[in-house]
């Protein structure tokens, strides 16, 4: 028939995501997640179509809800800058002046920077207790460095 062509399933997910807070709060995370979602589509849409159908409906809500912790984990573990421009490509909270003064009073920037380096060198165990269906863990497994 001469009807309208069906939208790509990934594009349908991203249309839904574009209407959620993640679109303005964490746009770089959305870019990083697109190939992950595409790989899930490629893997599950044919071999497990019922599973993919549930996933495609849940992904916008689950990614939007878990975006903050994903961003924080990527920042903590030094995974936020994958394009080499030297900037974090994900949005996180910034310290206000009062927080900076308190941090400097407690131990100074050098101590904090060294502690941060030490934290980044350690492997981490992340326990997803969000009582959801595991999307946080699934996204983190793709986005974090394997040696983290």
């Amino acid at each position: 028939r001469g009807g309208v062509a069906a939208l790509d399933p990934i594009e349908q997910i991203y249309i839904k995501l574009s209407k959620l807070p993640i679109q303005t709060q964490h746009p770089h995370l959305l870019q990083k997640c697109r190939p992950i979602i595409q790989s899930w589509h490629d893997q599950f849409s044919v071999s497990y179509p019922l599973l993919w159908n549930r996933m495609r409906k849940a992904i916008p809500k689950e990614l939007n809800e878990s975006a903050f912790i994903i961003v924080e984990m990527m920042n903590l573990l030094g995974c936020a800058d994958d394009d080499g421009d030297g900037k974090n490509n994900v949005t996180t909270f910034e310290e206000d002046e009062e927080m900076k003064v308190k941090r400097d009073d407690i131990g100074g920037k050098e101590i904090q920077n060294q502690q941060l380096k030490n934290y980044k060198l350690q492997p981490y165990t992340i326990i997803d207790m969000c009582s959801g269906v595991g999307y946080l863990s699934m996204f983190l497994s793709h986005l974090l460095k394997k040696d983290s």
Side-chain angles (χ1 to χ4, degrees):
R1 288 191 204 177
V4 178
L7 282 176
D8 170 54
I10 307 308
E11 192 59 35
Q12 290 175 351
I13 290 170
Y14 270 76
I15 288 170
K16 291 177 183 175
L17 283 164
S18 72
K19 298 173 184 171
L20 297 173
I22 190 174
Q23 174 65 34
T24 55
Q25 294 173 357
H26 305 292
H28 290 93
L29 179 61
L30 281 179
Q31 290 175 339
K32 290 177 183 282
C33 289
R34 191 175 194 111
I36 297 168
I37 296 168
Q38 182 67 55
S39 72
W40 293 342
H41 170 266
D42 296 347
Q43 184 176 0
F44 299 122
S45 65
V46 174
S47 57
Y48 301 101
L50 294 175
L51 172 62
W52 171 249
N53 193 42
R54 286 194 321 257
M55 288 178 73
R56 72 175 179 80
K57 292 176 183 175
I59 286 171
K61 172 192 168 293
E62 297 293 334
L63 181 55
N64 184 66
E65 289 177 357
S66 61
F68 174 78
I69 191 66
I70 292 171
V71 167
E72 290 302 311
M73 292 306 305
M74 290 174 67
N75 285 330
L76 177 69
L77 298 174
C79 303
D81 179 32
D82 287 349
D83 62 10
D85 66 359
K87 300 176 186 173
N88 275 347
N89 292 320
V90 290
T91 307
T92 187
F93 287 120
E94 294 189 24
E95 290 182 315
D96 61 20
E97 287 304 312
E98 183 179 340
M99 289 171 70
K100 287 179 184 175
V101 169
K102 285 181 182 174
R103 182 195 65 208
D104 290 343
D105 287 345
I106 291 170
K109 289 183 182 181
E110 290 304 315
I111 292 172
Q112 185 192 31
N113 288 340
Q114 186 58 45
Q115 289 172 340
L116 186 57
K117 287 178 187 174
N118 291 339
Y119 287 137
K120 288 181 180 179
L121 295 175
Q122 299 175 30
Y124 282 83
T125 300
I126 301 167
I127 301 172
D128 179 1
M129 297 180 62
C130 295
S131 68
V133 290
Y135 284 93
L136 172 61
S137 297
M138 291 167 57
F139 279 110
L140 286 174
S141 72
H142 287 275
L143 292 166
L144 298 180
K145 294 175 184 173
K146 301 302 178 212
D147 60 353
S148 297

